[in-house]
Amino acid sequence: MTKNYLEIPEELYNKLSDYAENDQLSIRLENQQILLENPKINHTNKQNLALHYFIVPSLASGIIALLIFLSTNHPQIAFTGSRHLSVASLSIILSTLFGFFGFIWTYLRKSCDLSKSKFKIFRETLTLSVAYTSISFAVQIIFWYIIGKTFSGVTFDPFTAGFLVLVFVGIIFYFLISAALSITLPNLILLLFTTFIGGILVSMATNNQKDWWQHNFSFLGTGEATQHWQFNITLIFSALILLTITDFLFAEFSKSSLYNYKFKIIRVFYILIVLLIAFVGIFPAQSWTMPIHNNSAFGLVAVVLIMIIFLKWLVPTISKEFLALSWTALIALTLSAVAFMGIHYLSLTVFEIIAFAIAFTWLVMFINSLRGIIQEGNEWQVKLLQK
């Protein structure tokens, strides 16, 4: 009888032994990838857990909605917009409320790194729960706006309306639970972009009538702006998400043989950047906070420039493509500064947008480059043998 073997390097064997259960591993094919896992880990667990967790909150939301609808003594309940409670309004309220606490409970229950401090776990969990719940809230607002335009005037009896609330809350809750069970570095980067860009665009749109662009980009966070809290909260939460990404990245990096004091310096740079972004939101560009705001904004760009200048020393294995891209970003930042302060070609608003966009994009792309280096360090050559 022919026996088949997989010959692997000793280093890989030592790593796999940490995941093995009684020296056994399960292997499966998924999305053209070969995955080795602990045999006790069922790849359907995440889906089963998400289904299990969302049933009770969905039923609870349906019962609550039914009781509220019956208490109004109205024979028909509006599908969307009404002076009375509607399916849309209760779905948004209950899904956001249940989803927020459900995300926290699921994320904490899933797998918290025991090496992390309780404060770091609390900060990470709260940041992610607020971010994902806010995104689901925004998506629901857009969804129900479209539904309201499409099904204007549609009503249901209280029992049907309560059942619809149950369904819609269940969908959102399932999404949030699935997200809590599937937190990865790429997902966090997407979350960062969604939170930052979405929040900034909303701030721009709500201040369109005030011609904010005639002042400066930071005007969106001042007391003169409409709902200025959106701009400031966006920056603060973007900073917290970036800090969470930094924790995830360097927790993974610390397990690699490539990890050294230079990467610790990079981590310090990222923590400094997180603080500077948060300060831009915490201290608006007005009155006594103006110096802190301006110094934080310019400090952010300065730190990015320093990182680019010393990039080759900090990460000797960085790709030539990313190195060239980094120097292009440095030149673009320098030219935009000259165009603004030197020849006054650019307005303050345009300069701020260009500088912040380049710096923010480069920081995210650098994270992806570091992640690529980690992945390259976790690749081994294996052989298939038959005896």
Side-chain angles (χ1 to χ4, degrees):
M1 178 179 173
T2 303
K3 291 187 176 181
N4 303 314
Y5 297 89
L6 189 66
E7 185 178 87
I8 63 176
E10 184 176 356
E11 183 183 0
L12 176 57
Y13 173 81
N14 293 332
K15 287 184 176 292
L16 290 177
S17 63
D18 295 333
Y19 296 95
E21 181 72 25
N22 298 324
D23 294 328
Q24 291 187 352
L25 289 168
S26 65
I27 187 169
R28 62 187 174 90
L29 299 176
E30 182 178 301
N31 298 326
Q32 298 182 339
Q33 293 180 331
I34 299 175
L35 303 177
L36 286 170
E37 296 177 332
N38 185 308
K40 286 189 175 181
I41 298 177
N42 188 337
H43 67 277
T44 60
N45 276 351
K46 290 182 179 179
Q47 182 177 358
N48 291 338
L49 286 173
L51 286 170
H52 175 71
Y53 290 163
F54 99 107
I55 291 176
V56 174
S58 299
L59 289 174
S61 65
I63 294 172
I64 293 172
L66 176 60
L67 293 176
I68 292 175
F69 291 149
L70 291 174
S71 67
T72 61
N73 294 321
H74 288 281
Q76 292 294 110
I77 304 298
F79 194 27
T80 59
S82 171
R83 62 189 182 89
H84 307 295
L85 287 175
S86 64
V87 172
S89 60
L90 266 187
S91 295
I92 293 173
I93 294 171
L94 292 175
S95 62
T96 301
L97 190 62
F98 279 115
F100 176 73
F101 292 105
F103 188 101
I104 292 177
W105 184 78
T106 306
Y107 186 75
L108 289 174
R109 183 182 176 88
K110 181 196 68 168
S111 59
C112 285
D113 191 343
L114 296 178
S115 64
K116 295 180 181 179
S117 65
K118 290 183 179 180
F119 173 76
K120 185 177 289 187
I121 292 173
F122 172 78
R123 185 252 300 161
E124 180 181 293
T125 304
L126 187 61
T127 298
L128 293 177
S129 60
V130 171
Y132 274 101
T133 306
S134 298
I135 290 174
S136 69
F137 178 81
V139 170
Q140 288 182 86
I141 293 295
I142 297 172
F143 170 78
W144 284 113
Y145 176 79
I146 297 173
I147 293 298
K149 294 294 183 181
T150 307
F151 298 99
S152 178
V154 174
T155 61
F156 300 97
D157 65 87
F159 291 94
T160 303
F163 176 75
L164 289 174
V165 171
L166 182 153
V167 171
F168 287 116
V169 170
I171 293 172
I172 297 300
F173 200 81
Y174 180 78
F175 159 75
L176 289 172
I177 295 302
S178 299
L181 292 169
S182 307
I183 298 295
T184 61
L185 194 57
N187 290 344
L188 290 177
I189 293 174
L190 178 61
L191 176 65
L192 176 61
F193 265 108
T194 304
T195 302
F196 180 77
I197 296 176
I200 295 299
L201 289 178
V202 169
S203 298
M204 290 180 177
T206 54
N207 285 279
N208 184 48
Q209 298 299 322
K210 292 198 172 186
D211 295 332
W212 63 269
W213 47 270
Q214 294 184 6
H215 301 273
N216 52 58
F217 189 56
S218 299
F219 172 83
L220 296 172
T222 64
E224 299 178 30
T226 302
Q227 296 180 333
H228 59 277
W229 61 270
Q230 293 176 346
F231 180 81
N232 297 326
I233 289 295
T234 295
L235 291 176
I236 295 170
F237 257 94
S238 295
L240 289 173
I241 295 172
L242 182 58
L243 182 58
T244 301
I245 291 174
T246 303
D247 290 340
F248 269 72
L249 176 67
F250 287 95
E252 187 176 353
F253 228 135
S254 62
K255 301 174 184 176
S256 170
S257 58
L258 301 173
Y259 193 66
N260 55 35
Y261 75 95
K262 292 182 181 179
F263 288 105
K264 292 181 180 179
I265 294 175
I266 295 174
R267 185 171 191 171
V268 171
F269 274 132
Y270 265 97
I271 293 174
L272 179 58
I273 287 168
V274 165
L275 291 174
L276 292 172
I277 294 175
F279 281 174
V280 172
I282 295 172
F283 302 101
Q286 57 188 25
S287 64
W288 66 271
T289 61
M290 179 71 80
I292 302 176
H293 177 91
N294 290 340
N295 289 331
S296 298
F298 284 113
L300 170 63
V301 177
V303 172
V304 171
L305 291 176
I306 292 172
M307 291 177 69
I308 293 175
I309 292 171
F310 292 97
L311 182 60
K312 186 62 179 176
W313 176 78
L314 289 169
V315 191
T317 57
I318 199 74
S319 66
K320 293 181 180 178
E321 293 77 10
F322 185 75
L323 192 61
L325 179 66
S326 299
W327 282 99
T328 302
L330 186 146
I331 294 171
L333 284 170
T334 303
L335 290 177
S336 61
V338 172
F340 166 62
M341 294 182 287
I343 60 177
H344 304 291
Y345 175 74
L346 296 177
S347 67
L348 176 58
T349 303
V350 175
F351 170 68
E352 286 181 326
I353 292 176
I354 291 175
F356 208 84
I358 292 174
F360 183 79
T361 303
W362 183 86
L363 287 170
V364 175
M365 294 181 69
F366 187 34
I367 288 174
N368 272 324
S369 296
L370 292 175
R371 180 169 167 266
I373 292 174
I374 297 174
Q375 292 176 335
E376 290 175 4
N378 289 332
E379 291 182 1
W380 295 271
Q381 297 297 319
V382 300
K383 290 183 180 180
L384 295 174
L385 303 173
Q386 280 189 339
K387 289 185 180 180

Short mmCIF file of all heavy atoms in Angstrom, two decimals, residues 84-126:
data_model
loop_
_atom_site.label_atom_id
_atom_site.label_comp_id
_atom_site.label_asym_id
_atom_site.label_seq_id
_atom_site.Cartn_x
_atom_site.Cartn_y
_atom_site.Cartn_z
N HIS A 84 -46.51 58.55 13.68
CA HIS A 84 -46.54 57.46 14.64
C HIS A 84 -45.32 56.57 14.40
O HIS A 84 -44.64 56.68 13.40
CB HIS A 84 -47.83 56.65 14.50
CG HIS A 84 -49.06 57.49 14.57
ND1 HIS A 84 -49.44 58.19 15.69
CD2 HIS A 84 -50.00 57.76 13.62
CE1 HIS A 84 -50.57 58.83 15.46
NE2 HIS A 84 -50.92 58.59 14.20
N LEU A 85 -45.05 55.68 15.31
CA LEU A 85 -43.95 54.75 15.13
C LEU A 85 -44.17 53.89 13.90
O LEU A 85 -45.28 53.42 13.65
CB LEU A 85 -43.81 53.86 16.37
CG LEU A 85 -43.24 54.54 17.62
CD1 LEU A 85 -43.27 53.57 18.79
CD2 LEU A 85 -41.82 55.02 17.38
N SER A 86 -43.10 53.67 13.14
CA SER A 86 -43.19 52.89 11.91
C SER A 86 -42.28 51.68 11.98
O SER A 86 -41.46 51.54 12.90
CB SER A 86 -42.81 53.75 10.71
OG SER A 86 -41.45 54.15 10.81
N VAL A 87 -42.41 50.79 11.00
CA VAL A 87 -41.52 49.63 10.90
C VAL A 87 -40.07 50.10 10.75
O VAL A 87 -39.15 49.56 11.37
CB VAL A 87 -41.92 48.74 9.70
CG1 VAL A 87 -40.88 47.65 9.47
CG2 VAL A 87 -43.30 48.14 9.91
N ALA A 88 -39.88 51.12 9.94
CA ALA A 88 -38.53 51.63 9.68
C ALA A 88 -37.87 52.17 10.95
O ALA A 88 -36.74 51.81 11.28
CB ALA A 88 -38.58 52.73 8.62
N SER A 89 -38.59 53.03 11.68
CA SER A 89 -38.00 53.67 12.86
C SER A 89 -37.67 52.66 13.94
O SER A 89 -36.59 52.70 14.54
CB SER A 89 -38.95 54.75 13.41
OG SER A 89 -40.19 54.17 13.79
N LEU A 90 -38.58 51.72 14.21
CA LEU A 90 -38.31 50.72 15.24
C LEU A 90 -37.20 49.75 14.82
O LEU A 90 -36.41 49.31 15.65
CB LEU A 90 -39.58 49.95 15.57
CG LEU A 90 -40.41 50.47 16.75
CD1 LEU A 90 -41.54 49.52 17.07
CD2 LEU A 90 -39.56 50.71 17.98
N SER A 91 -37.14 49.42 13.54
CA SER A 91 -36.08 48.54 13.04
C SER A 91 -34.72 49.18 13.25
O SER A 91 -33.78 48.52 13.69
CB SER A 91 -36.29 48.23 11.55
OG SER A 91 -37.48 47.50 11.34
N ILE A 92 -34.62 50.46 12.95
CA ILE A 92 -33.35 51.17 13.11
C ILE A 92 -32.95 51.25 14.58
O ILE A 92 -31.80 50.96 14.95
CB ILE A 92 -33.45 52.59 12.50
CG1 ILE A 92 -33.60 52.51 10.98
CG2 ILE A 92 -32.21 53.42 12.86
CD1 ILE A 92 -33.87 53.85 10.32
N ILE A 93 -33.90 51.62 15.43
CA ILE A 93 -33.61 51.78 16.86
C ILE A 93 -33.21 50.46 17.50
O ILE A 93 -32.18 50.35 18.17
CB ILE A 93 -34.83 52.38 17.59
CG1 ILE A 93 -35.08 53.82 17.11
CG2 ILE A 93 -34.60 52.37 19.10
CD1 ILE A 93 -36.39 54.41 17.61
N LEU A 94 -34.01 49.42 17.27
CA LEU A 94 -33.76 48.13 17.93
C LEU A 94 -32.52 47.43 17.38
O LEU A 94 -31.75 46.84 18.14
CB LEU A 94 -34.99 47.23 17.78
CG LEU A 94 -36.24 47.67 18.53
CD1 LEU A 94 -37.42 46.77 18.21
CD2 LEU A 94 -35.99 47.70 20.05
N SER A 95 -32.29 47.51 16.07
CA SER A 95 -31.12 46.86 15.50
C SER A 95 -29.84 47.54 15.95
O SER A 95 -28.82 46.88 16.20
CB SER A 95 -31.19 46.85 13.97
OG SER A 95 -31.20 48.17 13.46
N THR A 96 -29.88 48.85 16.07
CA THR A 96 -28.70 49.59 16.54
C THR A 96 -28.42 49.27 18.01
O THR A 96 -27.27 49.04 18.39
CB THR A 96 -28.91 51.10 16.37
OG1 THR A 96 -29.15 51.40 14.99
CG2 THR A 96 -27.68 51.87 16.83
N LEU A 97 -29.47 49.25 18.82
CA LEU A 97 -29.31 48.99 20.25
C LEU A 97 -28.85 47.55 20.51
O LEU A 97 -27.83 47.31 21.18
CB LEU A 97 -30.63 49.26 20.97
CG LEU A 97 -30.60 49.25 22.51
CD1 LEU A 97 -29.68 50.36 23.01
CD2 LEU A 97 -32.00 49.44 23.07
N PHE A 98 -29.58 46.60 19.96
CA PHE A 98 -29.22 45.19 20.13
C PHE A 98 -27.87 44.89 19.47
O PHE A 98 -27.06 44.11 20.00
CB PHE A 98 -30.30 44.27 19.54
CG PHE A 98 -31.48 44.06 20.45
CD1 PHE A 98 -32.73 44.52 20.10
CD2 PHE A 98 -31.33 43.37 21.65
CE1 PHE A 98 -33.83 44.32 20.92
CE2 PHE A 98 -32.42 43.17 22.49
CZ PHE A 98 -33.68 43.65 22.13
N GLY A 99 -27.65 45.49 18.30
CA GLY A 99 -26.42 45.23 17.57
C GLY A 99 -25.18 45.70 18.30
O GLY A 99 -24.15 45.03 18.30
N PHE A 100 -25.28 46.86 18.94
CA PHE A 100 -24.14 47.42 19.66
C PHE A 100 -23.70 46.49 20.79
O PHE A 100 -22.53 46.11 20.88
CB PHE A 100 -24.51 48.80 20.22
CG PHE A 100 -23.43 49.42 21.06
CD1 PHE A 100 -22.29 49.93 20.48
CD2 PHE A 100 -23.58 49.49 22.44
CE1 PHE A 100 -21.29 50.51 21.26
CE2 PHE A 100 -22.59 50.06 23.23
CZ PHE A 100 -21.44 50.57 22.63
N PHE A 101 -24.65 46.12 21.65
CA PHE A 101 -24.30 45.26 22.77
C PHE A 101 -24.01 43.83 22.32
O PHE A 101 -23.18 43.13 22.92
CB PHE A 101 -25.42 45.28 23.82
CG PHE A 101 -25.56 46.60 24.51
CD1 PHE A 101 -26.59 47.47 24.20
CD2 PHE A 101 -24.63 46.99 25.48
CE1 PHE A 101 -26.73 48.70 24.84
CE2 PHE A 101 -24.75 48.21 26.12
CZ PHE A 101 -25.79 49.07 25.80
N GLY A 102 -24.68 43.39 21.25
CA GLY A 102 -24.42 42.06 20.72
C GLY A 102 -23.01 41.95 20.16
O GLY A 102 -22.34 40.92 20.34
N PHE A 103 -22.55 43.00 19.50
CA PHE A 103 -21.19 43.01 18.95
C PHE A 103 -20.17 42.93 20.09
O PHE A 103 -19.21 42.16 20.02
CB PHE A 103 -20.96 44.29 18.13
CG PHE A 103 -19.67 44.30 17.38
CD1 PHE A 103 -19.64 44.01 16.01
CD2 PHE A 103 -18.46 44.60 18.00
CE1 PHE A 103 -18.44 44.02 15.31
CE2 PHE A 103 -17.27 44.61 17.32
CZ PHE A 103 -17.26 44.32 15.96
N ILE A 104 -20.39 43.73 21.12
CA ILE A 104 -19.47 43.72 22.27
C ILE A 104 -19.41 42.34 22.89
O ILE A 104 -18.31 41.79 23.14
CB ILE A 104 -19.91 44.76 23.32
CG1 ILE A 104 -19.73 46.18 22.78
CG2 ILE A 104 -19.11 44.59 24.62
CD1 ILE A 104 -20.21 47.27 23.72
N TRP A 105 -20.57 41.74 23.16
CA TRP A 105 -20.62 40.43 23.81
C TRP A 105 -19.95 39.35 22.96
O TRP A 105 -19.17 38.54 23.46
CB TRP A 105 -22.08 40.07 24.08
CG TRP A 105 -22.24 38.79 24.83
CD1 TRP A 105 -22.08 38.58 26.18
CD2 TRP A 105 -22.62 37.52 24.29
NE1 TRP A 105 -22.32 37.27 26.49
CE2 TRP A 105 -22.66 36.59 25.36
CE3 TRP A 105 -22.92 37.07 23.00
CZ2 TRP A 105 -23.00 35.26 25.17
CZ3 TRP A 105 -23.27 35.74 22.82
CH2 TRP A 105 -23.29 34.85 23.89
N THR A 106 -20.24 39.38 21.65
CA THR A 106 -19.68 38.36 20.75
C THR A 106 -18.17 38.52 20.60
O THR A 106 -17.42 37.54 20.63
CB THR A 106 -20.33 38.47 19.36
OG1 THR A 106 -21.75 38.39 19.50
CG2 THR A 106 -19.85 37.35 18.45
N TYR A 107 -17.71 39.77 20.45
CA TYR A 107 -16.29 39.99 20.25
C TYR A 107 -15.48 39.58 21.48
O TYR A 107 -14.41 38.98 21.37
CB TYR A 107 -16.03 41.46 19.91
CG TYR A 107 -14.59 41.74 19.53
CD1 TYR A 107 -14.11 41.37 18.29
CD2 TYR A 107 -13.72 42.37 20.43
CE1 TYR A 107 -12.79 41.61 17.93
CE2 TYR A 107 -12.41 42.61 20.08
CZ TYR A 107 -11.95 42.23 18.84
OH TYR A 107 -10.65 42.45 18.49
N LEU A 108 -15.99 39.92 22.66
CA LEU A 108 -15.31 39.52 23.89
C LEU A 108 -15.34 38.01 24.08
O LEU A 108 -14.37 37.42 24.57
CB LEU A 108 -15.96 40.21 25.10
CG LEU A 108 -15.75 41.72 25.22
CD1 LEU A 108 -16.57 42.26 26.38
CD2 LEU A 108 -14.28 42.04 25.42
N ARG A 109 -16.44 37.39 23.69
CA ARG A 109 -16.59 35.94 23.86
C ARG A 109 -15.74 35.17 22.85
O ARG A 109 -15.26 34.07 23.15
CB ARG A 109 -18.06 35.56 23.69
CG ARG A 109 -18.36 34.09 23.93
CD ARG A 109 -19.84 33.84 23.68
NE ARG A 109 -20.18 32.42 23.80
CZ ARG A 109 -20.51 31.83 24.93
NH1 ARG A 109 -20.58 32.54 26.05
NH2 ARG A 109 -20.81 30.54 24.97
N LYS A 110 -15.56 35.76 21.66
CA LYS A 110 -14.88 35.07 20.57
C LYS A 110 -13.46 34.67 20.92
O LYS A 110 -13.16 33.50 21.13
CB LYS A 110 -14.87 35.96 19.31
CG LYS A 110 -14.20 35.31 18.11
CD LYS A 110 -13.88 36.33 17.03
CE LYS A 110 -12.79 37.28 17.51
NZ LYS A 110 -12.24 38.10 16.42
N SER A 111 -12.58 35.65 20.99
CA SER A 111 -11.17 35.33 21.29
C SER A 111 -10.42 36.62 21.58
O SER A 111 -10.08 37.36 20.66
CB SER A 111 -10.51 34.62 20.11
OG SER A 111 -10.56 35.40 18.95
N CYS A 112 -10.20 36.89 22.81
CA CYS A 112 -9.40 38.04 23.21
C CYS A 112 -8.00 37.56 23.55
O CYS A 112 -7.84 36.58 24.29
CB CYS A 112 -10.02 38.76 24.41
SG CYS A 112 -11.46 39.75 23.97
N ASP A 113 -7.01 38.22 22.99
CA ASP A 113 -5.61 37.86 23.25
C ASP A 113 -5.31 38.07 24.73
O ASP A 113 -5.42 39.18 25.26
CB ASP A 113 -4.70 38.73 22.39
CG ASP A 113 -3.26 38.24 22.41
OD1 ASP A 113 -2.91 37.46 23.30
OD2 ASP A 113 -2.50 38.65 21.52
N LEU A 114 -4.93 36.99 25.40
CA LEU A 114 -4.67 37.08 26.83
C LEU A 114 -3.45 37.93 27.15
O LEU A 114 -3.27 38.37 28.29
CB LEU A 114 -4.48 35.66 27.40
CG LEU A 114 -5.70 34.74 27.30
CD1 LEU A 114 -5.35 33.36 27.84
CD2 LEU A 114 -6.88 35.32 28.04
N SER A 115 -2.59 38.17 26.14
CA SER A 115 -1.40 38.98 26.36
C SER A 115 -1.74 40.47 26.42
O SER A 115 -0.92 41.28 26.84
CB SER A 115 -0.37 38.72 25.27
OG SER A 115 -0.88 39.14 23.99
N LYS A 116 -2.96 40.83 26.00
CA LYS A 116 -3.35 42.23 26.00
C LYS A 116 -3.87 42.63 27.38
O LYS A 116 -4.46 41.82 28.09
CB LYS A 116 -4.45 42.47 24.95
CG LYS A 116 -4.01 42.26 23.52
CD LYS A 116 -5.16 42.52 22.57
CE LYS A 116 -4.75 42.30 21.13
NZ LYS A 116 -5.87 42.54 20.18
N SER A 117 -3.66 43.89 27.70
CA SER A 117 -4.16 44.40 28.97
C SER A 117 -5.68 44.57 28.89
O SER A 117 -6.26 44.65 27.80
CB SER A 117 -3.52 45.75 29.27
OG SER A 117 -3.92 46.73 28.32
N LYS A 118 -6.34 44.63 30.05
CA LYS A 118 -7.79 44.78 30.09
C LYS A 118 -8.21 46.11 29.47
O LYS A 118 -9.24 46.19 28.79
CB LYS A 118 -8.28 44.68 31.54
CG LYS A 118 -8.16 43.28 32.13
CD LYS A 118 -8.74 43.24 33.54
CE LYS A 118 -8.65 41.84 34.12
NZ LYS A 118 -9.21 41.76 35.49
N PHE A 119 -7.40 47.14 29.70
CA PHE A 119 -7.72 48.45 29.11
C PHE A 119 -7.66 48.39 27.59
O PHE A 119 -8.53 48.94 26.91
CB PHE A 119 -6.75 49.52 29.62
CG PHE A 119 -6.92 50.85 28.94
CD1 PHE A 119 -7.98 51.69 29.27
CD2 PHE A 119 -6.04 51.27 27.95
CE1 PHE A 119 -8.16 52.91 28.65
CE2 PHE A 119 -6.21 52.49 27.31
CZ PHE A 119 -7.27 53.31 27.66
N LYS A 120 -6.64 47.72 27.05
CA LYS A 120 -6.50 47.62 25.59
C LYS A 120 -7.66 46.82 25.00
O LYS A 120 -8.19 47.18 23.95
CB LYS A 120 -5.17 46.97 25.25
CG LYS A 120 -4.88 46.92 23.74
CD LYS A 120 -3.51 46.33 23.45
CE LYS A 120 -2.40 47.30 23.89
NZ LYS A 120 -1.07 46.80 23.46
N ILE A 121 -8.06 45.75 25.68
CA ILE A 121 -9.20 44.96 25.22
C ILE A 121 -10.48 45.79 25.24
O ILE A 121 -11.28 45.76 24.29
CB ILE A 121 -9.37 43.69 26.09
CG1 ILE A 121 -8.19 42.74 25.87
CG2 ILE A 121 -10.68 42.99 25.78
CD1 ILE A 121 -8.19 41.55 26.81
N PHE A 122 -10.67 46.55 26.32
CA PHE A 122 -11.86 47.40 26.44
C PHE A 122 -11.87 48.47 25.34
O PHE A 122 -12.90 48.67 24.69
CB PHE A 122 -11.87 48.08 27.81
CG PHE A 122 -12.94 49.12 27.97
CD1 PHE A 122 -14.26 48.75 28.21
CD2 PHE A 122 -12.63 50.47 27.87
CE1 PHE A 122 -15.25 49.71 28.36
CE2 PHE A 122 -13.62 51.44 28.00
CZ PHE A 122 -14.93 51.05 28.25
N ARG A 123 -10.75 49.13 25.13
CA ARG A 123 -10.67 50.18 24.11
C ARG A 123 -10.90 49.62 22.71
O ARG A 123 -11.63 50.19 21.91
CB ARG A 123 -9.29 50.84 24.20
CG ARG A 123 -9.09 52.03 23.26
CD ARG A 123 -8.16 51.67 22.12
NE ARG A 123 -6.87 51.27 22.65
CZ ARG A 123 -6.01 50.57 21.94
NH1 ARG A 123 -6.31 50.16 20.73
NH2 ARG A 123 -4.84 50.22 22.46
N GLU A 124 -10.30 48.48 22.44
CA GLU A 124 -10.43 47.84 21.13
C GLU A 124 -11.87 47.42 20.88
O GLU A 124 -12.42 47.67 19.80
CB GLU A 124 -9.49 46.63 21.10
CG GLU A 124 -9.48 45.84 19.83
CD GLU A 124 -8.53 44.65 19.95
OE1 GLU A 124 -7.31 44.88 20.03
OE2 GLU A 124 -9.02 43.51 19.96
N THR A 125 -12.49 46.79 21.87
CA THR A 125 -13.86 46.30 21.72
C THR A 125 -14.84 47.45 21.55
O THR A 125 -15.72 47.40 20.66
CB THR A 125 -14.27 45.47 22.96
OG1 THR A 125 -13.33 44.41 23.15
CG2 THR A 125 -15.66 44.88 22.78
N LEU A 126 -14.71 48.48 22.36
CA LEU A 126 -15.63 49.62 22.27
C LEU A 126 -15.47 50.35 20.94
O LEU A 126 -16.46 50.74 20.31
CB LEU A 126 -15.36 50.59 23.43
CG LEU A 126 -16.36 51.75 23.57
CD1 LEU A 126 -17.76 51.22 23.82
CD2 LEU A 126 -15.93 52.68 24.71
#
